mmCIF file of all heavy atoms in Angstrom:
data_model
loop_
_atom_site.group_PDB
_atom_site.id
_atom_site.type_symbol
_atom_site.label_atom_id
_atom_site.label_comp_id
_atom_site.label_asym_id
_atom_site.label_seq_id
_atom_site.Cartn_x
_atom_site.Cartn_y
_atom_site.Cartn_z
ATOM 1 N N GLY A 211 -1.331 -39.548 -46.102
ATOM 2 C CA GLY A 211 -1.335 -40.698 -45.222
ATOM 3 C C GLY A 211 -2.505 -41.611 -45.540
ATOM 4 O O GLY A 211 -3.597 -41.146 -45.876
ATOM 5 N N VAL A 212 -2.269 -42.901 -45.465
ATOM 6 C CA VAL A 212 -3.323 -43.900 -45.665
ATOM 7 C C VAL A 212 -3.281 -44.835 -44.468
ATOM 8 O O VAL A 212 -2.250 -45.438 -44.177
ATOM 9 C CB VAL A 212 -3.122 -44.702 -46.967
ATOM 10 C CG1 VAL A 212 -4.216 -45.761 -47.100
ATOM 11 C CG2 VAL A 212 -3.104 -43.785 -48.175
ATOM 12 N N SER A 213 -4.393 -44.949 -43.774
ATOM 13 C CA SER A 213 -4.447 -45.762 -42.571
ATOM 14 C C SER A 213 -5.189 -47.062 -42.829
ATOM 15 O O SER A 213 -6.267 -47.070 -43.433
ATOM 16 C CB SER A 213 -5.150 -44.980 -41.454
ATOM 17 O OG SER A 213 -5.194 -45.741 -40.272
ATOM 18 N N GLY A 214 -4.616 -48.161 -42.390
ATOM 19 C CA GLY A 214 -5.283 -49.446 -42.472
ATOM 20 C C GLY A 214 -4.971 -50.238 -43.735
ATOM 21 O O GLY A 214 -4.338 -49.739 -44.661
ATOM 22 N N ALA A 215 -5.438 -51.481 -43.736
ATOM 23 C CA ALA A 215 -5.224 -52.383 -44.878
ATOM 24 C C ALA A 215 -6.284 -52.110 -45.932
ATOM 25 O O ALA A 215 -7.211 -52.901 -46.141
ATOM 26 C CB ALA A 215 -5.273 -53.834 -44.411
ATOM 27 N N GLN A 216 -6.158 -50.995 -46.609
ATOM 28 C CA GLN A 216 -7.132 -50.563 -47.601
ATOM 29 C C GLN A 216 -7.091 -51.481 -48.842
ATOM 30 O O GLN A 216 -6.096 -52.161 -49.081
ATOM 31 C CB GLN A 216 -6.836 -49.130 -48.024
ATOM 32 C CG GLN A 216 -6.886 -48.116 -46.916
ATOM 33 C CD GLN A 216 -8.294 -47.798 -46.464
ATOM 34 O OE1 GLN A 216 -9.269 -48.164 -47.118
ATOM 35 N NE2 GLN A 216 -8.425 -47.104 -45.343
ATOM 36 N N PRO A 217 -8.156 -51.471 -49.631
ATOM 37 C CA PRO A 217 -8.120 -52.215 -50.894
ATOM 38 C C PRO A 217 -7.018 -51.688 -51.805
ATOM 39 O O PRO A 217 -6.605 -50.521 -51.705
ATOM 40 C CB PRO A 217 -9.509 -51.951 -51.492
ATOM 41 C CG PRO A 217 -10.367 -51.561 -50.338
ATOM 42 C CD PRO A 217 -9.469 -50.841 -49.379
ATOM 43 N N ALA A 218 -6.539 -52.536 -52.704
ATOM 44 C CA ALA A 218 -5.464 -52.139 -53.616
ATOM 45 C C ALA A 218 -5.844 -50.894 -54.414
ATOM 46 O O ALA A 218 -4.977 -50.064 -54.730
ATOM 47 C CB ALA A 218 -5.135 -53.294 -54.560
ATOM 48 N N GLU A 219 -7.135 -50.743 -54.733
ATOM 49 C CA GLU A 219 -7.581 -49.588 -55.520
ATOM 50 C C GLU A 219 -7.338 -48.281 -54.781
ATOM 51 O O GLU A 219 -7.023 -47.255 -55.400
ATOM 52 C CB GLU A 219 -9.078 -49.724 -55.851
ATOM 53 C CG GLU A 219 -9.428 -50.870 -56.772
ATOM 54 C CD GLU A 219 -9.428 -52.225 -56.076
ATOM 55 O OE1 GLU A 219 -9.393 -52.247 -54.814
ATOM 56 O OE2 GLU A 219 -9.468 -53.256 -56.775
ATOM 57 N N VAL A 220 -7.482 -48.302 -53.460
ATOM 58 C CA VAL A 220 -7.242 -47.092 -52.670
ATOM 59 C C VAL A 220 -5.754 -46.738 -52.691
ATOM 60 O O VAL A 220 -5.374 -45.573 -52.847
ATOM 61 C CB VAL A 220 -7.733 -47.277 -51.218
ATOM 62 C CG1 VAL A 220 -7.331 -46.083 -50.348
ATOM 63 C CG2 VAL A 220 -9.242 -47.467 -51.197
ATOM 64 N N PHE A 221 -4.911 -47.751 -52.559
ATOM 65 C CA PHE A 221 -3.474 -47.498 -52.624
ATOM 66 C C PHE A 221 -3.070 -46.995 -54.007
ATOM 67 O O PHE A 221 -2.211 -46.114 -54.127
ATOM 68 C CB PHE A 221 -2.694 -48.767 -52.275
ATOM 69 C CG PHE A 221 -2.755 -49.140 -50.828
ATOM 70 C CD1 PHE A 221 -3.252 -50.374 -50.431
ATOM 71 C CD2 PHE A 221 -2.313 -48.260 -49.844
ATOM 72 C CE1 PHE A 221 -3.296 -50.721 -49.092
ATOM 73 C CE2 PHE A 221 -2.367 -48.597 -48.501
ATOM 74 C CZ PHE A 221 -2.862 -49.840 -48.127
ATOM 75 N N ALA A 222 -3.679 -47.537 -55.045
ATOM 76 C CA ALA A 222 -3.364 -47.090 -56.401
ATOM 77 C C ALA A 222 -3.726 -45.618 -56.575
ATOM 78 O O ALA A 222 -2.965 -44.832 -57.159
ATOM 79 C CB ALA A 222 -4.124 -47.946 -57.422
ATOM 80 N N GLN A 223 -4.883 -45.225 -56.047
ATOM 81 C CA GLN A 223 -5.300 -43.828 -56.137
ATOM 82 C C GLN A 223 -4.350 -42.924 -55.351
ATOM 83 O O GLN A 223 -3.987 -41.837 -55.811
ATOM 84 C CB GLN A 223 -6.725 -43.687 -55.598
ATOM 85 C CG GLN A 223 -7.275 -42.265 -55.661
ATOM 86 C CD GLN A 223 -8.678 -42.168 -55.083
ATOM 87 O OE1 GLN A 223 -9.251 -43.162 -54.651
ATOM 88 N NE2 GLN A 223 -9.226 -40.964 -55.073
ATOM 89 N N ALA A 224 -3.931 -43.391 -54.168
ATOM 90 C CA ALA A 224 -3.023 -42.587 -53.340
ATOM 91 C C ALA A 224 -1.673 -42.404 -54.024
ATOM 92 O O ALA A 224 -1.098 -41.312 -54.014
ATOM 93 C CB ALA A 224 -2.840 -43.259 -51.982
ATOM 94 N N LEU A 225 -1.163 -43.463 -54.630
ATOM 95 C CA LEU A 225 0.117 -43.369 -55.339
ATOM 96 C C LEU A 225 0.018 -42.381 -56.501
ATOM 97 O O LEU A 225 0.899 -41.543 -56.702
ATOM 98 C CB LEU A 225 0.526 -44.750 -55.866
ATOM 99 C CG LEU A 225 1.045 -45.747 -54.821
ATOM 100 C CD1 LEU A 225 1.081 -47.151 -55.416
ATOM 101 C CD2 LEU A 225 2.431 -45.344 -54.328
ATOM 102 N N THR A 226 -1.069 -42.466 -57.253
ATOM 103 C CA THR A 226 -1.257 -41.582 -58.401
ATOM 104 C C THR A 226 -1.365 -40.127 -57.964
ATOM 105 O O THR A 226 -0.756 -39.225 -58.555
ATOM 106 C CB THR A 226 -2.518 -41.982 -59.188
ATOM 107 O OG1 THR A 226 -2.356 -43.326 -59.665
ATOM 108 C CG2 THR A 226 -2.751 -41.061 -60.371
ATOM 109 N N GLN A 227 -2.130 -39.903 -56.896
ATOM 110 C CA GLN A 227 -2.316 -38.526 -56.419
ATOM 111 C C GLN A 227 -1.022 -37.962 -55.852
ATOM 112 O O GLN A 227 -0.660 -36.805 -56.129
ATOM 113 C CB GLN A 227 -3.408 -38.489 -55.352
ATOM 114 C CG GLN A 227 -3.769 -37.070 -54.916
ATOM 115 C CD GLN A 227 -5.050 -37.028 -54.100
ATOM 116 O OE1 GLN A 227 -5.766 -38.027 -53.996
ATOM 117 N NE2 GLN A 227 -5.337 -35.881 -53.514
ATOM 118 N N ALA A 228 -0.314 -38.762 -55.064
ATOM 119 C CA ALA A 228 0.939 -38.285 -54.484
ATOM 120 C C ALA A 228 1.968 -37.998 -55.570
ATOM 121 O O ALA A 228 2.714 -37.013 -55.489
ATOM 122 C CB ALA A 228 1.484 -39.327 -53.502
ATOM 123 N N TRP A 229 2.013 -38.834 -56.588
ATOM 124 C CA TRP A 229 2.958 -38.617 -57.685
ATOM 125 C C TRP A 229 2.608 -37.332 -58.445
ATOM 126 O O TRP A 229 3.487 -36.522 -58.763
ATOM 127 C CB TRP A 229 2.941 -39.807 -58.632
ATOM 128 C CG TRP A 229 3.933 -39.684 -59.753
ATOM 129 C CD1 TRP A 229 3.715 -39.158 -61.006
ATOM 130 C CD2 TRP A 229 5.310 -40.055 -59.727
ATOM 131 N NE1 TRP A 229 4.870 -39.197 -61.743
ATOM 132 C CE2 TRP A 229 5.860 -39.746 -60.987
ATOM 133 C CE3 TRP A 229 6.126 -40.631 -58.758
ATOM 134 C CZ2 TRP A 229 7.201 -39.985 -61.286
ATOM 135 C CZ3 TRP A 229 7.451 -40.886 -59.055
ATOM 136 C CH2 TRP A 229 7.975 -40.553 -60.326
ATOM 137 N N GLY A 230 1.338 -37.123 -58.713
ATOM 138 C CA GLY A 230 0.915 -35.954 -59.482
ATOM 139 C C GLY A 230 1.047 -34.657 -58.727
ATOM 140 O O GLY A 230 1.209 -33.590 -59.328
ATOM 141 N N ASP A 231 1.003 -34.744 -57.399
ATOM 142 C CA ASP A 231 1.043 -33.529 -56.582
ATOM 143 C C ASP A 231 2.443 -33.173 -56.101
ATOM 144 O O ASP A 231 2.609 -32.258 -55.294
ATOM 145 C CB ASP A 231 0.133 -33.687 -55.360
ATOM 146 C CG ASP A 231 -1.328 -33.583 -55.731
ATOM 147 O OD1 ASP A 231 -1.624 -33.322 -56.918
ATOM 148 O OD2 ASP A 231 -2.178 -33.778 -54.848
ATOM 149 N N ARG A 232 3.442 -33.895 -56.571
ATOM 150 C CA ARG A 232 4.796 -33.519 -56.185
ATOM 151 C C ARG A 232 5.089 -32.100 -56.659
ATOM 152 O O ARG A 232 4.817 -31.754 -57.802
ATOM 153 C CB ARG A 232 5.820 -34.480 -56.785
ATOM 154 C CG ARG A 232 5.798 -35.871 -56.165
ATOM 155 C CD ARG A 232 6.732 -36.799 -56.906
ATOM 156 N NE ARG A 232 6.445 -36.786 -58.321
ATOM 157 C CZ ARG A 232 7.366 -36.903 -59.274
ATOM 158 N NH1 ARG A 232 8.641 -36.997 -58.961
ATOM 159 N NH2 ARG A 232 7.009 -36.901 -60.545
ATOM 160 N N SER A 233 5.646 -31.283 -55.804
ATOM 161 C CA SER A 233 5.890 -29.879 -56.137
ATOM 162 C C SER A 233 7.096 -29.742 -57.061
ATOM 163 O O SER A 233 8.180 -30.244 -56.738
ATOM 164 C CB SER A 233 6.139 -29.068 -54.860
ATOM 165 O OG SER A 233 5.015 -29.115 -54.025
ATOM 166 N N PRO A 234 6.918 -29.088 -58.202
ATOM 167 C CA PRO A 234 8.083 -28.848 -59.057
ATOM 168 C C PRO A 234 9.030 -27.857 -58.389
ATOM 169 O O PRO A 234 8.624 -27.062 -57.540
ATOM 170 C CB PRO A 234 7.469 -28.248 -60.325
ATOM 171 C CG PRO A 234 6.183 -27.624 -59.873
ATOM 172 C CD PRO A 234 5.686 -28.502 -58.751
ATOM 173 N N LEU A 235 10.279 -27.916 -58.768
ATOM 174 C CA LEU A 235 11.283 -27.013 -58.206
ATOM 175 C C LEU A 235 10.978 -25.581 -58.598
ATOM 176 O O LEU A 235 10.741 -25.278 -59.770
ATOM 177 C CB LEU A 235 12.672 -27.414 -58.715
ATOM 178 C CG LEU A 235 13.851 -26.637 -58.146
ATOM 179 C CD1 LEU A 235 14.013 -26.955 -56.669
ATOM 180 C CD2 LEU A 235 15.124 -26.983 -58.906
ATOM 181 N N LYS A 236 10.954 -24.691 -57.613
ATOM 182 C CA LYS A 236 10.713 -23.273 -57.876
ATOM 183 C C LYS A 236 12.055 -22.545 -57.847
ATOM 184 O O LYS A 236 12.753 -22.548 -56.833
ATOM 185 C CB LYS A 236 9.767 -22.686 -56.836
ATOM 186 C CG LYS A 236 8.360 -23.272 -56.881
ATOM 187 C CD LYS A 236 7.474 -22.631 -55.826
ATOM 188 C CE LYS A 236 6.037 -23.108 -55.955
ATOM 189 N NZ LYS A 236 5.917 -24.561 -55.734
ATOM 190 N N LEU A 237 12.413 -21.916 -58.968
ATOM 191 C CA LEU A 237 13.670 -21.183 -59.049
ATOM 192 C C LEU A 237 13.495 -19.787 -58.473
ATOM 193 O O LEU A 237 12.563 -19.055 -58.836
ATOM 194 C CB LEU A 237 14.123 -21.090 -60.508
ATOM 195 C CG LEU A 237 14.542 -22.409 -61.172
ATOM 196 C CD1 LEU A 237 14.893 -22.164 -62.629
ATOM 197 C CD2 LEU A 237 15.716 -23.022 -60.436
#
Side-chain angles (χ1 to χ4, degrees):
V212 178
S213 181
Q216 300 286 348
E219 294 77 13
V220 173
F221 288 122
Q223 181 181 359
L225 286 166
T226 299
Q227 186 167 351
W229 183 268
D231 286 356
R232 290 174 307 145
S233 299
L235 184 68
K236 295 180 174 63
L237 292 177

